[in-house]
Amino acid sequence: MNVKAHADRGYLVKYLLIGVTALAFGLWHANDALFKYPLLRPLADAYETLQGPLDENGQSAISDGDLQSSWKALTAENGWPDEVPKSNDEINNILLYNYFVGVVFTLIGCSCLLITALTVGKWVELKNDVVSDKKGNSINVKDIVEIDKKRWEKKGLVVLTAKTDGRTKKMILDDLKFERRPVDQILMHIENTAGEDKIINGQTEAHYEALRLEKLAAREARQAELDQMQDQDA
C-alpha cells in the first residue's frame, strides 16, 4: 500500500490568516505606542504647566475660564488643536496598553506565520511498509511495537514507537496538520499490519469508523423521519 499525505491546505490557510491578522493588529498598536501617542506629550506638558500645581481635590489654582483662554492662545501660537489634551497619566495608561497588546499580538502573528512557513511542503508517506516524512525520518511498520492514541481523538496525534536492532524510534502521525483521509489510511494499514495489540490509550480505526457510520446512519434516519412528517403535514 502506497499513500502520501501532504500538508492540509485548510490548516495552512487558517494559520496564515490568523498570523497576518494578529501581526497587523499587533503592529498597529505598536505604532500607536511608538509614534502616535508620544507626540501628545508636548501638549500634555504645556497644558499641565498652564494648570500649575493641583490641590488635594485635583483642582487648579487658576480659574477654568482663564485656563481655557490661555490654552487657546497657546494652541493658536503653536498650531495645535484647541481641545483639552490628554493628561500625562492618561498617555501613560494608553502607552502601557498599546505596548502590551502590540507585543502579544505581534508574537502570536509571527508564531502562526512561522508555523505556516515550516509546514508548507511537508508530507508523510507510507510506501512498501515504510512510514517516512520529508525530514528523512522513517520506520518500518513491521518494527512498530506501540501505537499510542492518547491524543488521537482530541488532537489527531498518534505516536508510533518502533524498535530496530535494539534502537527505539518514534514518529508522530498528525491528521490535523496533514490531509486527514491519507493519514487515516496510513494509520489503519499500520494497525492491521503491526497488530491491534500494539494499540494503547485508544481503539482501532475500524472501531472509530464504525462509530462514525452509526452516527451518520442515525442522523440520516432522523432526517428521513422529519422529511416524512413534513410530507404528511403538507
Side-chain angles (χ1 to χ4, degrees), residues 112-127:
C112 289
L113 292 177
L114 180 61
I115 290 173
T116 303
L118 294 177
T119 305
V120 170
K122 281 190 173 183
W123 50 264
V124 61
E125 181 181 35
L126 172 66
K127 186 175 183 180

Side-chain angles (χ1 to χ4, degrees), residues 129 140-142 187-196 198:
D129 269 357
N140 193 303
V141 174
K142 296 179 180 178
L187 180 56
M188 187 172 290
H189 178 80
I190 290 173
E191 291 179 353
N192 292 335
T193 304
E196 296 179 359
K198 306 297 192 306

Side-chain angles (χ1 to χ4, degrees), residues 149-168:
K149 305 182 77 170
K150 183 178 181 179
R151 294 182 291 171
W152 177 241
E153 282 299 293
K154 292 184 177 180
K155 296 187 177 180
L157 299 175
V158 171
V159 180
L160 306 174
T161 303
K163 288 188 177 181
T164 309
D165 300 326
R167 294 184 303 161
T168 300

